[in-house]
Amino acid sequence: MSSTPEVIVCDPKPMGLLQRLYVIEVLKGLGVTLRHFLGNVFRRTYTVTVEWPEVKREYSERLRGRHILVAREDGSPRCVACYMCEEACPADCIYIEAEERDSDSVEFEKRPKVFEIDLLRCVYCGFCVDACPKEAIIMSRVHEMTFTTRDESVAGLDVLLQKKPLRKEDMGYRPYYGKPHSHIELPIPVKPGGLLG
Amino acid sequence: MATRDEIVASIRKAFPEGVRLLDGGDLPTFVVDRAELLRLARHLKDDPGLDFKLLADVCGADYAGREERFEAVYHLYSVTHGHRIRLKVPVREDDPVLPSVYGVWRAADWFEREAFDMFGLRFDGHPNLKRILCHPAFVGHPLRKDYEPGQRWLLREGEQDEPVWARQPHEDDDHFETQVINLGPSHPATHGTLRTVVRLDGEIITQAEVEIGYLHRCFEKMAERHTWKQVIPYTDRLNYCSPMINGVGYCLAVEKLAGIEAPPRAQLIRLILSELSRIMDHIVCIGANLNDLGAMTPFLYMYKAREEIYSILEACAGGRLTISYVRVGGLANDVPGDFVEAVRWILRRVPPLMNDMEKLITRNRIFRDRTEGVGVIAGAEALDWGWTGPCLRASGIPYDVRKAQPYLGYETFDFKVPIATTGDTFARYIVRVEEVRQSLHIIEQALERLQPGPIICDEHHVALPPKEQVYTEMEALIWHFKLIMEGARIPAGEVYGFTEGANGELGYYIVSDGGGKPYRIKVRPPCFAIFQAYPHMLVGHMVSDSVAILGSFNVIAGELDR
Amino acid sequence: MTSRDLSISPGGGSEERAAARRPDGSQVFLTTKLDALLDMARRNSLWPFPFGTACCAIEFMSVMMSHYDLSRFGAEVVRFSPRQSDLLIVAGTVTDKMAPVLVRIYEQMAEPKYVISMGACACTGGFYRAYHVVQGIDEFIPVDVYVPGCPPTPEALLKGVVHLQEMIGKGETHYQRQLAAARAAARGGADGNA
Ligand code: SF4
Ligand code: SF4
Ligand code: SF4
């Protein structure tokens, strides 16, 4: 052996009389479940259930939910239709059609005419966000979505383009510089309460 | 540990002809004439100075355009000496036949079948050479370079594969008809998608065969179609119980090939999150195993810890399960400011839950009666099947990649390798429980050492430059553009990267042709090797034992079938 | 393949359903009331069959476990027998090798039956545009609710279940629409004879 790793041999000990009697150990086990049960009935010591939908668990500011196309001040998309996100997407679920725009700056000479993301194809990896050189596409914390048909799931500019000013609560995965601002809340917050408070 | 030169000299001496050494590379690599393969294999296994007892991986590769188009690649490891080599056997397209090494290492069983399925390599002397991952109605060999990735074939009801023996009526010695029973692929105790066909004599299994491939998602083909970075989300979905470890293994392998290293802080965070993932994985394995045996409560208790670990992963990476957090050269983001406190909270949280579980289970006689002496496998035999990880350690062989060939600085941490000697289902359980404790211990030490610093290296030919530079500096923008549009240029070459996954040695054999996309990626999934011994271990057990044994292997279909 | 026989014709919409439930006769009225009652009972006690194949199955497990606890929505009785369940939750990638099994299970389920497709893979194949992966289970079986995500968060799946419950209440699921269409056709035929 090149170097004998330090090992712990954790072979089971032979069963003692108490164990072979079975009942005693089972009672001990029942003690554990009883402790949990009583703890929950009277004080909710062990309850961890998030009472969705009344209580919504807040995910971190990096949650990769549905995308947002960030708008400029005039409401048009910040996107310059450079196709980088389309290229970076492993699922090939972004479809962009570019069009010229009247602009005095070379930097913004194009804009997307069609910008569609198939939300059912998307694997929410965030690579499109990483790829965008304009910070035009970011992700929101919207993750509770359901569809009844597949066509419904193709989100175009009307859904993706940001309409209201961005609030911090809405924003999920997006580029960070400097200090990372995301925080972990443990234990997971649940509704307080219980029979005796 | 024999040095590279010693290995080379020893092989040269025994085989002056038919075996050629390739220059360079991460491992000593020999090109072997197929006529010599069997003799060389025996020599490698039996020579005490070489002692390659573990056949880690067999795979095919397609070099379209070469005269000898296909190659079978073998990776060997010696548990006693701690060294590795790679063998390559080239074959021509019109005659893709080579001898099977199943007679030398039984581990070759499924690996060779996979190479047959994917490339059409025919292994002479293999006992059961048929498709393993693709369905029987499939036409062609999908990993050949000329196979269109989207070309599907439909499988109809009634065309599913049946073992040959299952169709033949059979009478046992007492002239009672035996029964053939089919378990799976959708069965509560098969954890996803596996299928076992067993022949029963009374309640005793006399013959068994396993069919896998129900979750064959073409990872390897997809990897060839995507850039190096785009492969990362796919790796998350290999062993989806501990996604972080897969990503770390992949990125370490690519970094090895590219000759770069992640900054220390990134390494440490990778290590911490890997160990947390290992805990998560063991929680699911133990919990699901107990659940199958009828003990629901421990799973419910322990899953709480898992959910809380998810919280940490989600706050770091943005996803709960498929986190895509690791990048070649570092990490995607720095961890949040309260990372250390949160992990410490987990460190306090897990032990009481583990204790509760142990109180319920470890001393429970029913559990011990159902698991002790069930599914026993001796260390040497397990190694012959290619086992690694907790299952091998439960049979008394203390092989742990983290100790034997440390990466991420595991050598600087104080932890022990839990082993057991009985090699039964109970031993596999108890080894996992102890591993959770050791992981907690490692994390504790790692948290002490966490220093601020960069989290991704600044070799911008592989790692994306930070966003603020992209917005402001021309050069960074150009790198950014090139990396996204063409992919990172990883130097041509090949590498076998190995890490200790939750189930054992997780290997990535990566070939690059210098382009922006991988030329070939082969994953060596630990549970693939473990699971191939399963049908053989079942014989002589009852059906109810088969559930206990299967649960203790922790077979993850995503990794098994890829 | 089987998918074709199972899929509904685009015409079978809510109009026909409304026609079928018009209280134009006491009998119909009775069945309507009864249906409504049954639907209420059904939607509050779904018995899911978890067709978990891959990573999404792990998230499905999270939904069942203490933190999310699907039983709060009356759907905790997870059955692994298609005969005993009425909600098929397809969680995970379905491959071509698995597809006949999925169809078989769907056919074996007792009616009325509903399908939730969980995760990108089950809905569309996700990023596995590959030779062995079904590009959306709706190739083979009808789907009532699609839940996007890879994997969907537990909340998303819970929302999917709640959404399905609403759909059942409104009679919009695939099964109910098909039933309504069949009834309308039958009555239309009877009227024609008389
Ligand atoms: S999140 Fe990933 S899969 Fe989804 S659109 Fe962006 S790059 Fe594509
Ligand atoms: S990368 Fe950004 S700017 Fe370019 S097309 Fe995508 S969203 Fe628009
Ligand atoms: S949708 Fe994503 S998480 Fe779900 S099975 Fe597919 S790859 Fe796995």
Side-chain angles (χ1 to χ4, degrees), chain C residues 14 87 111 128:
Chain C
S14 49
L87 167 61
E111 291 182 340
Y128 295 101

Side-chain angles (χ1 to χ4, degrees), chain A residues 1 6-8 10-11 13 19-20 22 35-36 57 60 62 64 87-88 90 129-133 135 182, chain B residues 80 226 230 311 314-318 322 327 334 336 356 363 365-366 368 417 419 421 438 467 471 480:
Chain A
M1 202 139 301
E6 315 142 59
V7 297
I8 326 179
C10 37
D11 272 338
K13 291 177 214 71
Q19 261 182 295
R20 269 185 285 126
Y22 174 64
R35 195 183 76 226
H36 277 256
R57 172 172 171 196
S60 78
R62 290 187 190 167
R64 300 191 295 248
E87 203 60 37
V129 178
D130 293 357
C132 181
E135 212 174 314
S182 156
Chain B
T80 44
H226 287 82
Q230 284 175 338
S311 266
E314 187 265 322
C316 293
T322 48
R327 295 284 186 273
D334 203 347
D356 276 357
R363 291 174 61 81
R365 184 170 167 192
I366 301 186
R368 291 190 62 158
V417 179
I419 63 167
T421 49
Q438 295 297 328
K467 273 278 159 117
Y471 299 145
H480 181 86

Side-chain angles (χ1 to χ4, degrees), chain C residues 3-4 8 30-31 37 43-44 48 52 81 92 97 115 120 122 177 180:
Chain C
S3 59
R4 302 297 155 250
I8 45 157
L30 195 64
T31 50
L37 194 68
R43 74 168 184 261
N44 288 316
S81 160
K97 200 172 189 170
V115 180
R177 277 181 295 162

Side-chain angles (χ1 to χ4, degrees), chain B residues 102 109-110 113 116 125-131 164 209-210:
Chain B
Y102 179 70
D109 186 356
W110 282 9
R113 275 178 68 187
F116 164 73
H126 189 283
N128 186 16
L129 195 65
K130 62 177 183 184
R131 286 199 185 274
V164 182
E209 192 168 319
V210 168

